[in-house]
Amino acid sequence: MYLVNINHKFHYEMENLLRVFFPEKITVTDEVPDGEDYVLTELSDCITVRAVIGNEVFEDTYFYSENEADSAELERRMAVIMFNLLAEYTGYTPPWGILTGVRPAKLMTNLIKEMGEEEAVKYFLEKLLVSEEKTRLALLVSKAENPIISAASAPESYSLYISIPFCPTRCSYCSFISHSNESAKKLIPEYVEKLCEELEATGDIAKQLGLRLESVYIGGGTPTVLSAHQLKKITDCVKYNFDLSAIREYTVEAGRPDSITSDKLDVIKESGCTRISINPQTFNDAVLREIGRQHTAQLTVDAFNLARSKHFGNINMDLIAGLPTDTLESFENTLNKTISLSPENITVHTLSLKRSSNIVTENRRTNSGELASEMLELCQKKLTEAGYLPYYMYRQSKCLGNLENVGWAKKGYEGLYNVYMMEECHTVLSVGAGAVIKLKKPDANEIERIFNYKYPYEYISGFEEILKRKEYIYGFYGKSVATGGI
């Protein structure tokens, strides 16, 4: 599929919207291709959108007035025309309308501040063509997030993210910078040593600047691919180098059931961790094999029960809607099984077709956006009935059907770090390979980023440069190196 853009700069938005209907590879150009399917968008004294697909041609034109001539409104109008044409051609009306942004709830919050709740809802429905169901979801999440954000938005607030970029195996849908344990395990001992050095340096910076730690998140990858001894080394380093007295949440991803053992859970419990993740993704063994996971559904149940026996009282479980070979009936069984275990958090992701994932590179058959949408509708119904509330939402590029990822929680068990990170309400100091420090200017909506090297071998070999980059944090907060307080 080709996207032809003529005389405008709305390329990114038009490409993202076109991908909602045609998730295959899109080539962006400014010339009409010969003999190929294409969608043309053109701006002159009017907006023109033409879709030529097979032997069918769909076209619409909109003549805009002078008071509509600002770029944001022209972009919205163009998106509306494309959306309506492609919905007519495909027979599918994506529930998020023309909205392709990552943070729908944040947009809802900002619109409410600007124009009030009633007008914000109306804008979603009428201007962005978002369905009533998704508009209501964005509103619910916005209302759930606001008190969480307000409680941790002081100038000195921050969170700590620790990256463990190793996994037992690589799932077919994964595009994260993670490495299978078998191929990369020789790097792990040195990686842990360097990680602890970076934690010490980061803790010292936080102390000198007088920052207050709100949450800790140890993620990956799969942190529990490490041995119990290696996990303890890292969690002890956190304990010794950071002030945990004001902490609201401490999460460790124990995501893969085949990496969870009794001694590792003991180390995690002793660290002061308040929340863990045990992620089935599906309770269908055939689907697990299809996505490259080497564990069974029963092993997930066993790991969950083991964690409960260790008195973990806040457990998150991740599910994915739209996995290859999964059906609506199978997904409903997964959902029912998850609810029966009664975890405090259930995060429902929509499959995202990332360019570097095996699903995409091997051109595997995937489920449709329509089926994924049905799965999410089922989640909304069953999770609401089971007493879970949506508190957190984001969307990834190339998600099936332009759909969303939603965190559901029992009241009082919302995953705080997820909200802090997604809504960018305070600084996140990150350590490890692939980690990104996000610095939020106190009392301003300004974010700056510092990137660590992506791969473990780069992280180890370039470690001195990583430490040097951290000196920028002082300047960001208006302090010179080795001064304190903000």
Side-chain angles (χ1 to χ4, degrees), residues 99-135:
L99 188 57
T100 60
V102 173
R103 303 176 178 88
K106 188 171 187 175
L107 176 60
M108 176 64 81
T109 297
N110 290 338
L111 288 174
I112 289 172
K113 290 177 182 177
E114 177 186 332
M115 60 182 66
E117 182 178 314
E118 183 177 345
E119 289 300 313
V121 167
K122 187 176 178 181
Y123 189 89
F124 259 62
L125 293 169
E126 297 180 3
K127 299 292 187 180
L128 302 178
L129 308 185
V130 179
S131 72
E132 289 187 10
E133 178 190 3
K134 298 306 182 186
T135 298

Side-chain angles (χ1 to χ4, degrees), residues 283-284 328-338 378:
F283 278 103
N284 183 318
L328 186 61
E329 181 182 9
S330 168
F331 184 80
E332 183 172 10
N333 177 66
T334 289
L335 189 56
N336 289 339
K337 183 64 179 178
T338 305
L378 193 63

Side-chain angles (χ1 to χ4, degrees), residues 136-429:
R136 183 168 59 252
L137 177 61
L139 182 61
L140 286 172
V141 173
S142 171
K143 290 182 175 181
E145 286 182 338
N146 287 338
I148 296 172
I149 294 170
S150 297
S153 297
E156 69 274 15
S157 296
Y158 81 104
S159 289
L160 173 67
Y161 178 80
I162 302 168
S163 170
I164 311 294
F166 305 97
C167 281
T169 60
R170 179 170 175 163
C171 297
S172 64
Y173 54 79
C174 182
S175 66
F176 288 128
I177 307 302
S178 60
H179 302 266
S180 67
N181 198 19
E182 284 304 310
S183 64
K185 63 182 180 182
K186 63 181 180 294
L187 295 174
I188 291 178
E190 188 173 4
Y191 181 85
V192 170
E193 291 294 329
K194 295 297 185 187
L195 188 68
C196 287
E197 285 186 50
E198 190 182 5
L199 281 167
E200 290 174 12
T202 303
D204 186 55
I205 291 170
K207 287 175 184 175
Q208 291 192 53
L209 290 174
L211 301 181
R212 184 183 72 214
L213 184 58
E214 303 277 354
S215 71
V216 175
Y217 196 103
I218 303 180
T222 307
T224 43
V225 299
L226 303 183
S227 68
H229 173 74
Q230 289 165 337
L231 279 173
K232 181 171 172 55
K233 186 176 180 65
I234 292 168
T235 56
D236 281 353
C237 190
V238 172
K239 191 181 299 183
Y240 297 148
N241 290 282
F242 294 85
D243 181 1
L244 304 179
S245 62
I247 201 166
R248 298 171 186 268
E249 180 183 84
Y250 190 149
T251 297
V252 177
E253 282 190 6
R256 291 283 289 265
D258 46 338
S259 70
I260 296 172
T261 61
S262 180
D263 57 343
K264 292 177 188 178
L265 288 176
D266 288 339
V267 168
I268 293 169
K269 189 69 176 177
E270 182 186 330
S271 72
C273 169
T274 60
R275 180 178 180 269
I276 62 170
S277 291
I278 299 173
N279 300 330
Q281 315 300 20
T282 174
F283 278 103
N284 183 318
D285 284 343
V287 177
L288 284 170
R289 289 192 295 272
E290 178 69 22
I291 63 176
R293 288 210 163 201
Q294 296 180 343
H295 64 83
T296 62
Q298 184 57 49
L299 189 57
T300 302
V301 175
D302 293 343
F304 184 91
N305 290 334
L306 178 61
R308 283 294 198 224
S309 74
K310 302 285 187 179
H311 306 291
F312 283 92
N314 189 353
I315 301 178
N316 172 75
M317 303 190 88
D318 281 5
L319 307 178
I320 300 179
L323 288 172
T325 75
D326 207 1
T327 65
L328 186 61
E329 181 182 9
S330 168
F331 184 80
E332 183 172 10
N333 177 66
T334 289
L335 189 56
N336 289 339
K337 183 64 179 178
T338 305
I339 291 171
S340 73
L341 292 171
S342 195
E344 286 66 32
N345 282 215
I346 299 174
T347 306
V348 183
H349 298 269
T350 302
L351 179 65
S352 179
L353 300 176
K354 295 297 189 180
R355 183 175 57 185
S356 60
S357 67
N358 291 342
I359 286 178
V360 173
T361 59
E362 297 171 8
N363 199 27
R364 298 189 192 180
R365 185 177 179 181
T366 60
N367 278 320
S368 66
E370 291 93 327
L371 179 58
S373 184
E374 290 181 52
M375 291 173 172
L376 294 188
E377 288 174 14
L378 193 63
C379 288
Q380 186 146 350
K381 178 179 181 295
K382 285 184 170 286
L383 292 173
T384 300
E385 290 174 350
Y388 292 88
L389 300 172
Y391 73 94
Y392 152 73
M393 174 172 57
Y394 71 102
R395 300 195 305 153
Q396 296 169 278
S397 63
K398 302 181 183 179
C399 271
L400 292 178
N402 193 32
L403 294 166
E404 71 276 2
N405 308 314
V406 180
W408 295 80
K410 296 178 180 179
K411 192 169 180 59
Y413 288 95
E414 296 81 3
L416 305 182
Y417 174 83
N418 291 331
V419 177
Y420 300 157
M421 183 65 173
M422 187 51 55
E423 301 307 328
E424 298 177 329
C425 63
H426 64 215
T427 285
V428 178
L429 298 182

Side-chain angles (χ1 to χ4, degrees), residues 153-156 425-426 440-446 476-477 486:
S153 297
E156 69 274 15
C425 63
H426 64 215
K440 184 178 188 301
K441 205 75 170 178
D443 303 318
N445 189 24
E446 179 183 335
F476 180 86
Y477 280 101
I486 62 174

